[in-house]
């Protein structure tokens, strides 16, 4: 093991120890950085809500190392079991009925009789979960309603001293939060890093959407979310001098999500680009970010979902 690998391994073990002792640890997954706490420790989970300023009715995603660990927390129906076999580890979260004797802190599920659960694919996250040996509740590592973190620097800038330790694993390769699916009754609850087409191909039929319900059933369903400080305007082709312009494909802008029009590249760049555009807007004394049109196909739907929530009227955080 190289000196760098040894250092990272030691940092991971330190992070696992912090989690077991009730601490908050930000760690990278393939989607975004999560703000982790022992999901069975009510006090630690309460610290997550306090650090983020997250409303208590908004449930958390529980991260586990494998299907066996997930089955101790949730009841898997045949559809859920098939999807887990196909897409775990990976950017798919399943919303399932709680298993008896699950031991999760009540705040994790926000009083619902279901739990949102996934097995992440990022090697550092998997090593951390194995070392902790407990389920880890981990929403995105940012203030509630603000832009998600895809780099360790985003976490430090957004949460500061409210997080005990930041485990730096570099930029997150997917760059969008996980796709969330409920299996009974079947519904897509959040567009995300696994394209809906892949799920529908696996199931052999279309999946109904329920992404902004009247009552929150899963993370990421608030109408106003993922927002920078500057206002956001969508589908802008021609740059104007009163805004920072984020381009895509043939629309160049001040910066671009993908010069080639690749939605996978754009997804990986989205949150970092919003952080950068927000900083540029502040530096220029501007109050708005304009974003070029993104096609509603594949991960483009998830990108547009985040952008629409970023552009929605702001909801005051408690």
């Amino acid at each position: 093991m190289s000196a760098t690998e040894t250092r990272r391994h030691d940092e991971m073990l330190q992070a696992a120890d912090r989690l077991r002792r009730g601490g908050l640890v930000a760690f990278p997954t393939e989607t975004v950085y999560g703000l982790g706490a022992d999901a069975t420790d009510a006090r630690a989970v309460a610290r997550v809500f306090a650090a983020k300023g997250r409303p208590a009715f908004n449930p958390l995603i529980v991260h586990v190392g494998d299907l066996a660990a997930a089955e101790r927390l949730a009841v898997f129906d045949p559809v859920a079991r098939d999807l887990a076999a196909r897409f775990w580890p990976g950017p798919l979260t399943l919303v399932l009925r709680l298993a008896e004797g699950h031991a999760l802190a009540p705040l994790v599920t926000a009083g619902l009789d279901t739990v949102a659960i996934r097995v992440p694919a990022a090697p550092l996250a998997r090593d951390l979960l194995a070392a902790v040996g407990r389920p880890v509740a981990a929403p995105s590592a940012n203030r509630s309603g603000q832009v998600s973190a895809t780099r360790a620097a985003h976490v430090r800038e957004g949460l500061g001293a409210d997080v005990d330790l930041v485990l730096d694993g570099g930029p997150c390769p997917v760059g969008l939060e996980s796709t969330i699916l409920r299996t009974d009754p079947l519904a897509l609850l959040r567009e995300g890093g696994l394209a809906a087409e892949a799920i529908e191909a696996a199931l052999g039929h279309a999946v109904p959407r329920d992404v902004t319900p009247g009552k929150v059933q899963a993370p990421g369903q608030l109408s106003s979310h993922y927002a920078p400080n500057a206002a956001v305007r969508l589908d802008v082709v021609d740059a104007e001098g009163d805004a920072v312009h984020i381009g895509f494909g043939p629309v160049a802008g001040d910066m671009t999500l993908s010069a080639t029009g690749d939605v996978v590249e754009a997804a990986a760049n989205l949150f970092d680009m919003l952080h950068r555009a927000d900083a540029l807007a502040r530096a220029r004394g501007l109050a708005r970010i304009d974003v070029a049109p993104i096609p509603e196909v594949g991960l483009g739907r998830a990108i547009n979902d985040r952008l629409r929530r970023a552009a929605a009227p702001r909801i005051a955080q408690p």
Side-chain angles (χ1 to χ4, degrees), residues 4 7 117 133 225:
T4 298
R7 176 179 55 80
I117 192 166
H225 207 20

Side-chain angles (χ1 to χ4, degrees), residues 61-286:
I61 293 177
V62 176
H63 296 69
V64 294
D66 54 34
L67 177 59
E71 289 178 320
R72 291 192 285 270
L73 305 176
V75 178
F76 279 72
D77 55 60
V79 172
R81 193 171 299 281
D82 182 50
L83 291 173
R86 290 172 182 264
F87 297 115
W88 280 359
L92 173 66
T93 292
L94 296 173
V95 173
L96 306 170
R97 185 162 53 85
L98 281 163
E100 291 187 13
H102 56 77
L104 295 172
L107 266 178
V108 170
T109 62
L112 301 172
D113 61 359
T114 56
V115 59
I117 192 166
R118 86 174 182 104
V119 177
L124 188 54
R126 294 179 62 76
D127 289 345
L128 178 64
L129 290 167
V132 174
R134 302 172 189 172
V136 173
S140 56
N142 54 277
R143 302 291 180 192
S144 187
Q146 296 183 359
V147 182
S148 298
T150 55
R151 297 173 182 267
H154 299 161
V155 180
R156 297 187 183 104
E157 291 164 7
L159 291 176
D162 287 334
V163 58
D164 298 322
L165 189 152
V166 179
L167 197 56
D168 190 345
C172 301
V174 174
L176 290 174
E177 293 87 352
S178 60
T179 301
I180 301 182
L181 188 81
R182 184 186 66 219
T183 60
D184 186 20
L186 184 66
L188 185 74
L189 302 182
R190 182 176 74 182
E191 301 273 6
L194 177 64
E197 290 94 333
I199 297 171
E200 291 175 334
L203 295 176
H205 56 76
V207 176
R209 269 66 167 171
D210 191 12
V211 296
T212 309
K215 180 181 178 182
V216 172
Q217 306 168 68
Q221 293 190 311
L222 295 176
S223 59
S224 175
H225 207 20
Y226 313 110
N229 291 311
V232 177
R233 186 173 65 165
L234 306 182
D235 299 324
V236 179
V237 175
D238 297 319
E240 299 178 15
D242 62 345
V244 173
H245 194 202
I246 297 177
F248 177 81
V251 180
D254 295 293
M255 56 190 72
T256 182
L257 291 168
S258 172
T260 61
D262 182 349
V263 293
V264 175
E265 180 185 14
N269 288 335
L270 176 63
F271 289 135
D272 185 51
M273 201 70 63
L274 286 174
H275 281 284
R276 289 172 52 195
D278 207 26
L280 184 58
R282 283 196 304 273
R284 291 180 177 177
L286 302 175

